[in-house]
Amino acid sequence: MTGPAENQELLRIEGLRVSFGTGPAIVDGVDLDLAPGRILCLVGESGSGKSLTALSLMKLLPPHARIAAEALRFEGRDLQVLSEREMTALRGDRLAMVFQEPMTSLNPVMTIGEQIVEAVRQHRPASRSEARAMALQMLKRVQIPAAQERMDVYPHQLSGGMRQRVMIAIALVCRPSLLIADEPTTALDVTIEGQILALIDELRTELGTAVLFITHNLAVVAEIADEIAVMYAGRVVERGSRAAIFSDPQHPYTLSLFAAMPRADDVGRALAAIDGQVPSAGAMPPGCRFALRCPFAVGQCESAYPPMREMSAGHRVACWRAPLEEAVATAGSA
């Protein structure tokens, strides 16, 4: 669903590079933008740099990480110049994040009610009773059964799906303008996964929150995305609307992800393996980083990295062989 202010800029990333110490860039020249109320899915295998991109926005990388960008703006503010105190004020308020495994993020010795209250009082001038009322309301919004009673239970007393709902409640209780969700459904069964996806979509509509949703699975993307950015080996290789990417994928890596999608009757919905592996940061090829795994690769692919080109309005791809229909036709006539 389109947000009420979709033409406004909420987030802009240009030329983002992330490296550690004196090592090579792991995220290398990423461009992304996101409007209020929209869901952008960042898709790719493990090792593609998706989580590093998100943690760069939150400024939660370790001290030896080096982050550089031509632009890293959120709500018009340059995140690169904000102090740690300013970022602490921003995190959990205007900018929030939900991680893949809630048991590593929730405090095991605090009740879930206390943890939501703590998030409220850190960012809002609310009394404890007011914060508790806000916490209870948010638990109800994320569809926690018997929310009043569960305010006083501990994380280990809840199921994995309920813990993930609590994490979403903590992230959204201060009504952030951007929620980053990093593989939030990977450890959940298919039924609970569907419920969490529907919940995120419902809450972004209700609250006007934009979502940067990180996943490796296009089956998940099909349920929730407005727009998709496909990421491989530290770079975005294809970007477009959900309709454009699903109806006319133009990068061979995107095609590989589609081929790896689990069928509806697959037990466990595991992502099938793609032949080969993502190159390490210290061994990036000089040309297209997918060339060694690509069935369409030619000499140019191995020697020069392709620029982003527009295939249609809002649909861009970094591939020398695009449009792939022409590549297939050429191969067939050879």
Side-chain angles (χ1 to χ4, degrees), residues 242-258:
R242 176 173 58 179
I245 299 295
F246 273 78
S247 65
D248 189 30
Q250 284 296 322
H251 198 282
Y253 180 58
T254 309
L255 292 178
S256 296
L257 290 175
F258 274 113

Side-chain angles (χ1 to χ4, degrees), residues 18-27 52 55-56 61-67 281:
V18 180
S19 56
F20 292 89
T22 59
I26 300 174
V27 172
L52 281 181
L55 292 172
S56 298
L61 291 173
H64 66 292
R66 294 185 295 136
I67 303 171

Side-chain angles (χ1 to χ4, degrees), residues 227-288:
E227 300 165 86
I228 300 167
V230 180
M231 193 168 182
Y232 182 78
R235 292 183 173 178
V236 173
V237 298
E238 187 163 8
R239 171 74 190 269
S241 67
R242 176 173 58 179
I245 299 295
F246 273 78
S247 65
D248 189 30
Q250 284 296 322
H251 198 282
Y253 180 58
T254 309
L255 292 178
S256 296
L257 290 175
F258 274 113
M261 282 177 63
R263 299 188 305 273
D265 59 349
D266 282 345
V267 177
R269 292 170 59 90
L271 189 70
I274 300 173
D275 288 342
Q277 59 186 10
V278 180
S280 65
M284 290 296 177
C288 174

Side-chain angles (χ1 to χ4, degrees), residues 102-120:
M103 281 303 284
T104 63
S105 303
L106 293 170
N107 189 327
V109 298
M110 291 177 66
T111 66
I112 64 172
E114 289 172 334
Q115 294 185 60
I116 304 173
V117 165
E118 183 179 61
V120 172

Side-chain angles (χ1 to χ4, degrees), residues 193-216:
E193 174 188 85
Q195 293 173 359
I196 295 296
L197 294 176
L199 173 62
I200 289 174
D201 193 28
E202 176 186 327
L203 290 172
R204 70 87 178 235
T205 301
E206 179 184 345
L207 302 177
T209 298
V211 181
L212 177 61
F213 194 101
I214 296 170
T215 183
H216 62 276

Side-chain angles (χ1 to χ4, degrees), residues 33 46 54 85 87 108 125 128 144 156 166 206 242 251-252 267 273 308 332:
D33 58 83
S46 296
R85 181 176 181 179
M87 281 301 304
R128 181 163 292 278
I144 295 285
H156 72 273
V166 171
E206 179 184 345
R242 176 173 58 179
H251 198 282
V267 177
M308 270 284 192

